[in-house]
Amino acid sequence: MRPLQWFAALFALVFLAGHALAAPTRFTVEVSGKGPDVILIPGLASSADVLRPTAKRLAANHRVHLIQVAGFAGAPVAGNGGEGPVVAPLAEEIAAYITASKLTAPAVIGHSMGAETGLMLAERHPALVGRLLAVDALPFFPLVMNPAATVETVAPQAALFRDRMAAATPGQWAAMQTAGMARYIKTEAARPGPIREAVASDKSVVARAAYELMTTDLRPDLARVTVPVTVLYAYDPVYGVGAEVIDALYAGAYAGTAKLTLKRIDGSFHFIMLDQPAAFDAAVDAFLK
């Protein structure tokens, strides 16, 4: 083999090896459209389908990277199998994907667990993220139940919740997801799809991710987030408190974030994109301008 041919072959082998090492195991991704990069990350036990309408709309003038988390909505468990955390390793794999794909400061839009994943990215890899839209998520999720919660006070309850989910029978699992979606989606006609996706999710992956979310407090590191952050959060009178209480909860939770925009969407539960799709689309467009 001539020296030039040998060098070309060696370069190809090195490139392919690096590409293989960078291949994600904790998620799959669908890429569509052309333009500035946008990464969409769905939430706990959700399918990529919950953000697919957004992906299709944005693909007209963006290159959209639609994430499906392994083990959710019937997707193979793959790298999320076994034991231990799910969300932090997912964030690290997305960071590796951004680097391997040579994306330049992509916008990240995450719902719920996907938003916490985006926050981890922005805190731990600030040079890789251009801006973040966190949809109905807190940097410490237990605050929604107890504003005085700490990791230490929540950990025992979180462990019980994790173990209960992991041990649920198929019937119990389906009942848990059905009841949960009634609290998370106000529009009854929009619930069947997310319920099916949650029921089809791997119990161990969901249980471990839920435990991680309940015992991870990102507030101490929010000062490290230097990119613009928009937090879109839901409110409905059925919450039983005034809108000003929810406003104060989110403002306090995200205090210390350098470039913060808070926007409340009324008449919605947790899945804002399903309960108030027009308002959600408008907020996404404003975020991307």
Side-chain angles (χ1 to χ4, degrees):
M1 185 180 289
R2 294 177 180 176
L4 186 59
Q5 292 174 318
W6 178 87
F7 179 79
L10 179 62
F11 178 81
L13 286 172
V14 171
F15 174 80
L16 289 173
H19 183 73
L21 288 173
T25 65
R26 294 179 179 269
F27 69 93
T28 55
V29 61
E30 301 172 38
V31 182
S32 60
K34 293 182 179 180
D37 290 295
V38 181
I39 298 175
L40 304 180
I41 313 173
L44 186 70
S46 284
S47 162
D49 287 347
V50 76
L51 289 172
R52 193 174 302 282
T54 302
K56 288 182 177 179
R57 193 175 65 82
L58 294 181
N61 46 28
H62 293 82
R63 182 166 60 164
V64 181
H65 306 258
L66 178 60
I67 299 288
Q68 173 62 62
V69 178
F72 291 172
V77 171
N80 283 334
E83 300 179 355
V86 174
V87 187
L90 172 65
E92 292 306 310
E93 278 211 351
I94 295 175
Y97 171 79
I98 292 171
T99 300
S101 302
K102 298 184 179 353
L103 307 187
T104 302
V108 176
I109 300 174
H111 173 236
S112 191
M113 187 196 91
E116 181 141 339
T117 305
L119 271 177
M120 289 179 178
L121 275 171
E123 285 184 353
R124 299 166 191 179
H125 303 278
L128 297 183
V129 179
R131 65 185 78 179
L132 171 66
L133 176 62
V135 182
D136 213 52
L138 291 161
F140 185 42
F141 275 80
L143 295 175
V144 76
M145 298 174 286
N146 178 9
T150 67
V151 171
E152 291 73 23
T153 61
V154 167
Q157 180 184 359
L160 287 173
F161 185 55
R162 175 198 61 202
D163 296 344
R164 179 186 168 214
M165 283 196 290
T169 66
Q172 290 169 335
W173 181 247
M176 289 169 65
Q177 303 310 318
T178 301
M181 289 304 170
R183 296 191 299 271
Y184 300 149
I185 303 173
K186 181 177 181 179
T187 308
E188 188 173 353
R191 294 175 190 164
I195 290 173
R196 285 193 302 271
E197 294 159 4
V199 171
S201 296
D202 183 85
K203 289 187 298 178
S204 172
V205 178
V206 175
R208 288 184 286 118
Y211 174 81
E212 187 181 0
L213 291 173
M214 293 177 71
T215 56
T216 299
D217 189 352
L218 297 178
R219 289 175 297 174
D221 294 325
L222 287 175
R224 296 174 56 189
V225 179
T226 56
V227 302
V229 176
T230 298
V231 180
L232 195 65
Y233 60 97
Y235 173 74
D236 192 87
V238 77
Y239 286 1
V241 297
E244 69 281 359
V245 174
I246 304 301
D247 293 341
L249 172 65
Y250 276 84
Y254 282 94
T257 308
K259 301 173 183 177
L260 178 66
T261 301
L262 296 171
K263 181 169 179 56
R264 192 182 75 229
I265 302 294
D266 294 335
S268 178
F269 291 175
H270 186 52
F271 282 73
I272 298 173
M273 69 291 293
L274 301 181
D275 283 334
Q276 294 291 342
F280 179 77
D281 288 349
V284 169
D285 290 346
F287 162 73
L288 291 173
K289 281 184 180 177

